[in-house]
Amino acid sequence: MEDVDSRSRKRKIKDVDDENQKPSIKKRITTKASSKKLVTIKELLSDNSEDDKPKKKVIKKQIKKDINDDKPKRKIIKKQSKKELDVNDDTDNDINLNREIPYEECNSLFNDAEMLSNFEKITPVLAQKFISLINEGCTLPFIARYRKETVDHLMPDRLQDIYESYQNVLQFKKKVKSVLETLRKSKKLTPEIEQSILKTKNLSELDLVYGPLKSHSVSLAERARNLGLEKYAVRALNDEYIDLNSLCDGSEELSSVDKIETHIMHIVADIMYKDARVLQQMRTLKEETRFTLQSSRTKSSTKEKQEGDNKKLDNRSDPETYKLYFDWKCPVAFVKCYQTLAVNRGEEEKILSVKVIIPDWFYNRLERFCQTLWRSNHWVNKGLGDAYNRLIKPWLSRQVRSELTNAAQKEAVKTFSANLEKYLLTEPIKNRNIAGLDPGFKAGCKVGIIDNTGMKLEACNIYPNFHCNNNDPAVNQLRNLLKKHRVELIGLGNGTACRETESWLKKHYISDEIPVIIVPEQGASIYSISKEAQKEHPNMDPNLISALSIARRVLDPLGELIKVEPKNLGVGLYQHDIPPKMLESVLDATVEKVVSLVGVDINTASQAMLRRISGLNESRAKKIISYRQDNGSFKMRAEILKVSGIGKITYQQCAGFLKVLGGSEPLDSTIVHPESYTVAKLFAKKIGVNIKDLTKPRFPEEVDRKVATIDHVSMSKDLNTDISTLELIVNAFKQKTYEDNMITFCRPVYSLSVQAPDQLKKGTSLTGVVRNVVPFGCFVDCGVGDNGLIHTSKMGNATLKLGDRVAVTVIATPKPKKLQLKLDNILD
């Protein structure tokens, strides 16, 4: 009797669980599927025919008894061979009667807010509020500025992370639907597989279950099941005696005991790794396991080197680039993002071999867990060993690598985004006629001159003679151009021949008369051959367009830089190793954030600027331009609603970022949203300022003085608004043009004594400007060709940012492209 009792307490496959399942069953039964009525066990059973009434009574009786006691009735369950009731001890189980479950019902098992809450470690309430705002059509810039209270004052970068996770949630649900439909069409969807799929938490876990079923060929387990061995495998796993000799029938597949044992092992392995309880345990163990990432050099890369040093493979880097990773090992928890991207690229180029080392501890713990679920230790060992080597171990490696790669890509994109944001916020130099010089040797120096509004005045080529001290015709040609158009500033591109042109300007005293600014020209040449550039400057030489672009980068950096694809601006890390869609999505969001932060004058903004505004796109921007051309300037923000294709939702999203200067409504020139105009005017009245004076120079100082003693909490209550809206109004009243939004335009001071790479040696002192900031340091433009690297270990305690002017010392120059620097100090 003791043996019977102990055996009855052991769990069987497809067994009804104990009273611990009651909350899960209750929760599942009362789940409401979208666009579906409440699902109950009674309704599920009512779909059966009259002939099934006796079976329905048995099932009802079985459920009732199993909820109230701990006595599984296996015999009754076995009678329901085609109507098995599969209730596992995981949460959110479905009562599966081998029927097709509509995706709407499956959808209810994956709650968007709960999943987003788990992924981003935020409260379900906050997750639901965020999802509601997105579903209402709100953009991230709008939420960050005008719905701060709703999202608990989260910063824009954090909102971007949550938005990306929400997109992943939607993608996961879509994938689940696709997988279920695919398996149903291929007739591979069993109740057990369906349950395993519905219990997955992410795409990687879904791949573990779905991966072996993707192939059109029959899997090892399916082939064994087709031989009629499944029932024997189930019995064997539950420690029932099976006479394997009796199963030999002389056919090729069942010709020997060894073949039969192998088939049964494949079925057992399939049962085990698809079991939801095993999946949950693997999920838990994975979080506790210390994996190690290891890389080594491939034999093929060594052979290529031996066969000939001059031999180059297409799209393959020099193997020495990955020298650090030829014999490299690091615990996964300490792998840096750039290390992950480096070994990934090395592996793709077949220079590195990379693998994840999984400690034996994982298998041993998983085996002990499985022995508590099934009775036969012998078949658990055989089945788990087979499942582990063929399925689980490769999946774990993919999962670890995938998580490392995702984290690295996310960090790389964040670095790129931060650099891009600072670059776009370079301070403009307004109200000057500017000449842009795109230097060169054989092609000469391209000159593009613009007025203080950015309009082209003239564009041409000159051919400086860098080795001639007197009688250089290009000197007089340039002087005449500068004098003719009253040029007040020269922007010199920092590319090829920059230092030579800079010295030429100084030698002929041109730079003594007119200030020269070194301008980063990354992306200018790519923009010059784009459709947008040709549309803006029809039939113009792309080289001259590039010179005009350099000039405009001084006058209006933001307006000019947004015309260039962000990935071509020369900031960031491993951008070619990041999925293009992921990079474009985040960078577009960054550009939109910056443009919205600064705001634009709707009456002067270009189509390129307008399409980046929150709520607008290419089509709507084009319609705004057309309306402006047909009806003249906008007189007030409300007039935007008259533009074809812009309704109330679009107006709500874009209005606060589009300024109307000199209109009939003073608040139209501020960041105050039209929905808060009444509150803003009431606040102005309470503090005793005239809102009509808002554009006067002294208005910000007057507001600053009067709000110094105001209690924002009590004032917000008096105005019947939230504190965030009140603070935004106060900031709008105090804000000056570009205040707190821009970084100062840098004038990098290059060392005059060193102008070429061959002049560099260890200990040489240089000056330059930070052009790119990455997790392991920053790259500095010192005017000697390629940028030099200041590693984080050579920065001391300083924190550098894009645009900082620095004094550095050369510490190593093994190759021109490997200039290494040490920070001496940050220049004012």
Side-chain angles (χ1 to χ4, degrees):
M1 181 61 70
E2 286 182 6
D3 185 59
V4 173
D5 290 339
S6 63
R7 290 163 71 98
S8 67
R9 283 193 295 270
K10 300 261 186 168
R11 295 182 181 129
K12 277 191 177 182
I13 299 171
K14 301 177 184 176
D15 211 4
V16 179
D17 251 333
D18 58 13
E19 61 182 359
N20 291 330
Q21 180 62 25
K22 283 192 287 185
S24 296
I25 293 176
K26 184 177 180 181
K27 181 178 179 181
R28 180 64 192 92
I29 292 172
T30 57
T31 299
K32 183 178 288 188
S34 59
S35 73
K36 292 287 181 181
K37 63 180 183 179
L38 195 65
V39 179
T40 65
I41 294 177
K42 182 178 179 181
E43 289 170 331
L44 289 171
L45 295 172
S46 65
D47 292 336
N48 297 323
S49 63
E50 289 295 319
D51 295 336
D52 288 332
K53 282 186 178 180
K55 292 184 179 180
K56 286 188 283 185
K57 290 180 180 180
V58 172
I59 293 173
K60 290 178 181 178
K61 184 178 179 181
Q62 183 65 36
I63 294 172
K64 184 176 180 181
K65 286 188 176 183
D66 279 4
I67 289 177
N68 292 311
D69 58 53
D70 188 23
K71 298 179 181 180
K73 306 298 188 214
R74 299 184 180 88
K75 293 181 180 179
I76 297 177
I77 294 298
K78 286 181 180 179
K79 291 180 181 179
Q80 309 299 321
S81 59
K82 293 185 180 180
K83 301 283 183 179
E84 280 194 340
L85 180 64
D86 184 19
V87 183
N88 290 320
D89 59 358
D90 253 16
T91 58
D92 294 337
N93 283 297
D94 191 19
I95 305 302
N96 194 324
L97 297 181
N98 206 24
R99 65 182 179 84
E100 291 187 4
I101 300 178
Y103 179 66
E104 289 77 7
E105 185 174 329
C106 297
N107 196 35
S108 67
L109 297 175
F110 300 103
N111 183 280
D112 291 357
E114 289 182 6
M115 293 180 72
L116 184 58
S117 173
N118 291 331
F119 287 158
E120 288 297 326
K121 308 303 179 186
I122 58 178
T123 64
V125 174
L126 176 57
Q128 186 58 61
K129 287 180 179 179
F130 179 83
I131 291 172
S132 298
L133 288 172
I134 295 297
N135 291 340
E136 289 170 8
C138 295
T139 63
L140 296 185
F142 177 82
I143 295 172
R145 180 179 287 182
Y146 299 113
R147 294 294 183 266
K148 283 186 177 180
E149 292 284 341
T150 307
V151 294
D152 290 354
H153 298 266
L154 291 178
M155 299 300 290
D157 292 342
R158 184 72 179 113
L159 290 174
Q160 181 67 36
D161 291 340
I162 295 174
Y163 178 77
E164 290 170 12
S165 288
Y166 178 52
Q167 297 305 307
N168 291 336
V169 168
L170 298 179
Q171 182 185 2
F172 171 67
K173 290 171 63 176
K174 185 178 180 180
K175 182 68 175 179
V176 169
K177 177 183 179 181
S178 173
V179 166
L180 288 175
E181 290 177 349
T182 301
L183 292 177
R184 188 170 286 124
K185 288 178 181 177
S186 62
K187 297 183 180 179
K188 292 183 178 181
L189 185 65
T190 65
E192 293 79 12
I193 293 175
E194 186 174 53
Q195 287 302 308
S196 296
I197 289 173
L198 294 178
K199 288 180 177 64
T200 55
K201 302 291 185 183
N202 52 49
L203 289 172
S204 179
E205 291 181 2
L206 180 63
D207 180 63
L208 175 64
V209 179
Y210 178 53
L213 302 170
K214 287 181 183 179
S215 174
H216 293 295
S217 60
V218 178
S219 68
L220 295 175
E222 287 178 290
R223 190 168 70 180
R225 285 188 172 97
N226 292 338
L227 296 173
L229 296 177
E230 181 171 17
K231 60 182 178 181
Y232 299 107
V234 173
R235 287 168 57 189
L237 189 53
N238 285 286
D239 208 22
E240 294 184 23
Y241 174 73
I242 305 295
D243 184 5
L244 299 182
N245 287 310
S246 65
L247 299 178
C248 298
D249 61 1
S251 62
E252 184 180 351
E253 293 290 345
L254 302 175
S255 59
S256 67
V257 171
D258 288 343
K259 287 189 174 182
I260 293 173
E261 189 173 14
T262 301
H263 288 315
I264 291 178
M265 179 183 67
H266 290 155
I267 296 175
V268 169
D270 189 70
I271 290 172
M272 294 177 69
Y273 93 87
K274 286 180 180 175
D275 189 280
R277 297 166 295 183
V278 176
L279 182 61
Q280 177 59 41
Q281 180 67 5
M282 286 195 296
R283 195 180 294 141
T284 302
L285 291 177
K286 179 183 162 298
E287 297 300 320
E288 301 172 2
T289 304
R290 296 181 179 179
F291 300 98
T292 301
L293 190 66
Q294 179 177 299
S295 67
S296 58
R297 185 171 184 177
T298 60
K299 291 182 179 179
S300 61
S301 67
T302 306
K303 289 178 182 178
E304 292 294 343
K305 190 72 175 177
Q306 291 174 347
E307 288 174 6
D309 291 342
N310 296 325
K311 186 170 183 178
K312 297 287 183 180
L313 293 179
D314 292 338
N315 301 321
R316 178 181 283 196
S317 305
D318 180 357
E320 288 300 309
T321 304
Y322 301 99
K323 187 176 181 179
L324 287 173
Y325 303 102
F326 284 171
D327 185 16
W328 179 77
K329 185 186 294 185
C330 182
V332 164
F334 299 102
V335 176
K336 303 290 192 300
C337 66
Y338 55 86
Q339 293 173 329
T340 299
L341 296 174
V343 297
N344 284 355
R345 183 189 288 181
E347 182 181 44
E348 186 177 350
E349 294 181 351
K350 295 182 171 52
I351 296 173
L352 297 178
S353 174
V354 187
K355 66 179 181 178
V356 176
I357 300 175
I358 304 170
D360 295 338
W361 177 87
F362 183 95
Y363 177 83
N364 295 335
R365 287 288 300 273
L366 184 61
E367 183 183 50
R368 287 200 295 271
F369 175 78
C370 290
Q371 287 172 350
T372 66
L373 301 180
W374 294 284
R375 296 177 181 177
S376 175
N377 288 348
H378 170 76
W379 285 106
V380 165
N381 293 343
K382 289 183 72 68
L384 183 60
D386 179 59
Y388 184 76
N389 291 324
R390 285 194 302 111
L391 303 165
I392 297 174
K393 190 175 180 179
W395 172 78
L396 274 174
S397 296
R398 291 196 306 271
Q399 176 91 329
V400 171
R401 293 287 303 276
S402 175
E403 289 177 357
L404 280 174
T405 300
N406 289 339
Q409 289 174 346
K410 197 170 184 179
E411 185 64 30
V413 165
K414 188 175 291 186
T415 298
F416 204 143
S417 178
N419 285 327
L420 177 63
E421 184 174 338
K422 286 213 172 281
Y423 194 13
L424 293 177
L425 288 176
T426 301
E427 183 181 14
I429 297 180
K430 296 286 188 181
N431 303 318
R432 285 186 174 96
N433 288 3
I434 300 172
L437 303 186
D438 185 3
F441 290 113
K442 292 183 179 180
C445 181
K446 282 71 67 180
V447 182
I449 302 176
I450 59 173
D451 65 13
N452 57 9
T453 65
M455 295 296 293
K456 183 191 81 169
L457 295 177
E458 191 166 342
C460 64
N461 283 320
I462 62 173
Y463 297 89
N465 188 338
F466 298 130
H467 305 292
C468 178
N469 294 324
N470 300 309
N471 301 321
D472 185 351
V475 174
N476 291 329
Q477 186 181 357
L478 181 59
R479 284 185 187 278
N480 291 335
L481 286 171
L482 299 177
K483 185 176 181 180
K484 175 184 176 182
H485 299 293
R486 298 179 182 178
V487 172
E488 302 168 80
L489 193 64
I490 295 174
L492 176 62
N494 68 341
T496 304
C498 169
R499 297 307 304 277
E500 290 78 4
T501 305
E502 181 189 25
S503 298
W504 181 78
L505 291 171
K506 188 173 184 65
K507 182 167 60 177
H508 295 286
Y509 307 104
I510 295 175
S511 59
D512 292 346
E513 302 166 6
I514 302 174
V516 176
I517 292 178
I518 306 296
V519 183
E521 62 176 43
Q522 283 88 346
S525 58
I526 295 176
Y527 160 71
S528 66
I529 60 175
S530 67
K531 291 182 179 179
E532 188 169 349
Q534 294 300 321
K535 183 178 179 181
E536 189 175 359
H537 305 284
N539 302 318
M540 182 180 285
D541 180 358
N543 292 318
L544 298 180
I545 295 177
S546 180
L548 290 170
S549 179
I550 290 173
R552 289 194 180 116
R553 289 187 182 195
V554 179
L555 180 73
D556 183 13
L558 178 59
E560 191 64 22
L561 291 172
I562 63 168
K563 299 175 184 177
V564 183
E565 285 290 328
K567 62 185 180 182
N568 295 323
L569 289 175
V571 296
L573 170 74
Y574 287 102
Q575 65 187 58
H576 300 295
D577 298 313
I578 303 170
K581 286 186 178 179
M582 178 182 182
L583 184 62
E584 289 171 13
S585 174
V586 174
L587 295 185
D588 283 347
T590 301
V591 174
E592 182 178 315
K593 169 188 169 184
V594 171
V595 174
S596 298
L597 171 68
V598 176
V600 300
D601 181 352
I602 192 172
N603 289 319
T604 60
S606 65
Q607 186 172 324
M609 283 284 277
L610 288 173
R611 68 186 175 88
R612 298 291 193 176
I613 288 293
S614 167
L616 300 183
N617 53 28
E618 191 76 43
S619 174
R620 290 167 183 162
K622 189 175 182 179
K623 289 177 180 177
I624 289 176
I625 298 290
S626 298
Y627 181 91
R628 198 167 69 191
Q629 292 172 344
D630 296 339
N631 301 279
S633 299
F634 286 83
K635 304 300 186 295
M636 56 194 307
R637 275 175 171 165
E639 194 177 347
I640 299 171
L641 284 167
K642 296 181 180 179
V643 178
S644 173
I646 295 184
K648 291 183 178 180
I649 293 179
T650 301
Y651 175 74
Q652 179 198 49
Q653 298 302 305
C654 72
F657 306 103
L658 295 173
K659 298 177 181 179
V660 179
L661 305 179
S664 56
E665 174 55 73
L667 290 172
D668 283 348
S669 64
T670 70
I671 60 174
V672 179
H673 197 279
E675 66 187 11
S676 302
Y677 278 6
T678 303
V679 175
K681 291 174 181 177
L682 185 58
F683 172 70
K685 188 175 181 181
K686 278 186 173 290
I687 64 173
V689 295
N690 189 344
I691 208 164
K692 293 182 179 179
D693 298 334
L694 193 144
T695 55
K696 293 183 178 180
R698 293 186 178 180
F699 188 81
E701 296 177 7
E702 185 180 357
V703 172
D704 194 26
R705 187 175 62 255
K706 293 196 173 186
V707 300
T709 57
I710 286 179
D711 180 5
H712 285 200
V713 176
S714 59
M715 177 62 77
S716 62
K717 290 180 179 178
D718 290 345
L719 297 173
N720 193 27
T721 189
D722 56 70
I723 296 177
S724 296
T725 301
L726 177 60
E727 289 176 347
L728 187 142
I729 292 170
V730 172
N731 290 335
F733 284 1
K734 292 162 60 176
Q735 191 173 29
K736 298 174 184 177
T737 304
Y738 294 107
E739 185 182 61
D740 299 327
N741 287 340
M742 299 299 181
I743 61 172
T744 304
F745 192 95
C746 300
R747 298 187 182 190
V749 180
Y750 294 147
S751 301
L752 297 178
S753 59
V754 180
Q755 298 189 2
D758 55 9
Q759 295 178 282
L760 294 173
K761 60 182 180 179
K762 189 173 181 179
T764 302
S765 295
L766 299 171
T767 55
V769 60
V770 176
R771 294 297 187 199
N772 193 12
V773 179
V774 294
F776 53 85
C778 65
F779 291 94
V780 179
D781 174 13
C782 296
V784 290
D786 293 294
N787 296 338
L789 171 66
I790 306 179
H791 193 270
T792 48
S793 61
K794 304 300 179 183
M795 287 186 188
N797 297 322
T799 301
L800 296 176
K801 61 183 183 297
L802 200 76
D804 281 345
R805 292 196 304 120
V806 294
V808 296
T809 298
V810 176
I811 58 175
T813 58
K815 292 181 181 179
K817 291 187 177 181
K818 296 292 183 182
L819 177 62
Q820 296 179 41
L821 309 169
K822 177 176 72 72
L823 177 67
D824 294 332
N825 61 288
I826 302 175
L827 303 175
D828 294 332

